[in-house]
Amino acid sequence: MTDATPLSPAMETVWREDLSPFLAEREARRKQGVNELVFGGIGGVTAGIVALVVLSLVFLPQFGIFALIGLSVLGFVLGGRKLGVLQKEVKTGLLNRLAEASAMRYALKPHQPARFNVFREHGLIPSSQRDSFEDHFIGERHGSVFELYEAKLEQRRRSDKRTYYATVFRGLLIRIEFPRTIEGVTVIARDKGLFNGLESWGRKAFGSHKLERVGLVDPNFEEIFEVYSTDQVMSRYLLTPTFMERLCALEETVKGKNVRAAFDERRGGGELLIAVETGNLFEPGSLFKPLDDEERVRTLLQEIDLVTGMLDLMVRPPELGENVLADKA
């Protein structure tokens, strides 16, 4: 146990009756996996050293160096296979249980990344040639159904006759059935400072949608975001003072950066799409430490709480004194 914030009484029960036994049952496999990884690495390095000496004497030292690197990597890969399987099992088991305790459903990978092409169509994420997705959550907050997943997007680049992939986005993509009526498309992009004049010419269309720049009365919001919409009246109806305040606070809530969003009229009612760069979340921690550790669960739960807190921030009804009159205007 640590001196960190304790689990809630309800989560303490889940830990004691479900999570702790689940982890304890796999502790022997963890120890075995760590041993195999260590011995596999030692064996690979030893074989590599022998190959280095022999090849350096018979051929060229370069061949020996390649053999040393290759055999060392191979030893760690082969030795770490069981640990890799266990890590995925532990992650899935923990997140399934924690999501259920938070009234959500979890899957290691989304069956189909929700609205991914629409995120790209509206300019919320950059173009990429290699994409991967994981950690899919589905649930409901304040009557609004949502789903979110992690995305890692990479662009293929060339430099000095070498092709490589650079990560251009890693974070959360979120789809919320927004509780307000939505017509058309409204895109909330990041402010580009001196480039806004040029950007206004380049942003006349997102996909098949013709958008125009929307002027707002909130200077704090306009310092961070630029808004484009197919419907000026609808965009002002959606961008209430409360919503603008909450969107500005969103980055701090999820400890992320570069939040951007779009309202879309799809499915008749409407959706709010949000992209936020957060890095890699929802990992179960090191398997070189004992599994039956409450801190491992506490870290995952804090990340889940960040997500649910963000969703509450965006869809819960305004509270007394929170620009309620302005929202009704």
Side-chain angles (χ1 to χ4, degrees):
M1 298 296 229
T2 68
D3 294 331
T5 303
L7 299 175
S8 67
M11 192 55 64
E12 185 67 45
T13 300
V14 174
W15 163 257
R16 184 176 61 255
E17 297 181 355
D18 191 1
L19 299 180
S20 182
F22 168 79
L23 294 171
E25 289 173 1
R26 288 155 178 78
E27 178 61 18
R29 287 173 55 196
R30 182 197 69 83
K31 292 179 179 178
Q32 181 183 5
V34 170
N35 288 337
E36 290 188 9
L37 175 63
V38 172
F39 287 128
I42 292 174
V45 171
T46 302
I49 292 174
V50 172
L52 171 64
V53 173
V54 172
L55 293 175
S56 297
L57 292 175
V58 177
F59 298 102
L60 295 172
Q62 291 91 328
F63 291 106
I65 293 174
F66 288 139
L68 172 61
I69 295 173
L71 290 172
S72 299
V73 171
L74 181 62
F76 280 109
V77 169
L78 294 178
R81 287 181 299 177
K82 288 185 178 179
L83 210 58
V85 172
L86 179 62
Q87 183 175 38
K88 183 179 294 186
E89 183 180 326
V90 168
K91 174 178 177 174
T92 304
L94 287 178
L95 287 174
N96 267 319
R97 290 164 169 80
L98 290 174
E100 183 178 353
S102 300
M104 295 187 292
R105 291 183 318 219
Y106 170 80
L108 184 62
K109 293 184 179 295
H111 176 68
Q112 180 177 356
R115 295 292 186 265
F116 179 71
N117 290 332
V118 180
F119 277 98
R120 181 164 287 167
E121 177 185 345
H122 292 333
L124 302 182
I125 54 177
S127 62
S128 56
Q129 288 74 49
R130 190 164 68 180
D131 311 320
S132 59
F133 310 99
E134 63 178 354
D135 299 331
H136 184 224
F137 293 86
I138 298 176
E140 180 179 327
R141 307 295 288 188
H142 301 284
S144 297
V145 176
F146 72 88
E147 59 182 309
L148 64 90
Y149 55 94
E150 284 192 289
K152 180 181 179 182
L153 313 181
E154 298 173 288
Q155 289 181 353
R156 185 172 57 248
R157 298 176 180 175
R158 288 187 59 84
S159 176
D160 298 329
K161 300 180 180 180
R162 180 176 69 92
T163 300
Y164 66 99
Y165 286 87
T167 300
V168 292
F169 178 87
R170 183 155 199 171
L172 296 176
L173 300 182
I174 305 144
R175 181 193 71 85
I176 304 172
E177 293 184 3
F178 200 64
R180 285 171 172 259
T181 301
I182 295 175
E183 296 177 2
V185 174
T186 296
V187 175
I188 306 166
R190 303 299 294 197
D191 182 86
K192 296 296 181 67
L194 295 176
F195 294 97
N196 282 339
L198 296 175
E199 190 82 351
S200 64
W201 288 101
R203 289 211 170 196
K204 291 299 184 182
F206 283 95
S208 60
H209 303 287
K210 300 296 183 181
L211 287 84
E212 295 181 355
R213 177 106 173 253
V214 178
L216 300 172
V217 297
D218 187 334
N220 294 327
F221 191 83
E222 284 202 313
E223 285 183 4
I224 305 173
F225 299 104
E226 290 293 322
V227 179
Y228 301 83
S229 181
T230 59
D231 188 323
Q232 297 276 323
V233 175
M234 175 56 61
S235 67
R236 292 183 172 87
Y237 165 76
L238 294 170
L239 296 176
T240 65
T242 295
F243 179 86
M244 289 189 286
E245 286 182 6
R246 291 179 179 181
L247 195 64
C248 290
L250 187 56
E251 291 181 6
E252 182 178 353
T253 301
V254 297
K255 299 181 180 179
K257 60 181 181 179
N258 292 334
V259 170
R260 49 267 201 191
F263 292 101
D264 196 302
E265 66 179 350
R266 294 168 191 265
R267 291 190 175 179
E271 296 175 332
L272 171 61
L273 305 176
I274 300 174
V276 54
E277 298 173 22
T278 59
N280 192 17
L281 299 177
F282 312 120
E283 295 304 320
S286 173
L287 295 191
F288 287 92
K289 299 178 181 179
L291 287 176
D292 191 12
D293 181 3
E294 187 177 311
E295 184 62 28
R296 188 185 303 275
V297 172
R298 186 183 290 113
T299 299
L300 286 174
L301 191 61
Q302 287 173 345
E303 292 176 346
I304 290 175
D305 286 344
L306 286 177
V307 169
T308 55
M310 172 201 64
L311 293 163
D312 286 338
L313 189 68
M314 302 314 298
V315 302
R316 67 173 169 78
E319 297 176 351
L320 186 63
E322 188 185 28
N323 285 312
V324 175
L325 294 178
D327 286 352
K328 291 182 179 179

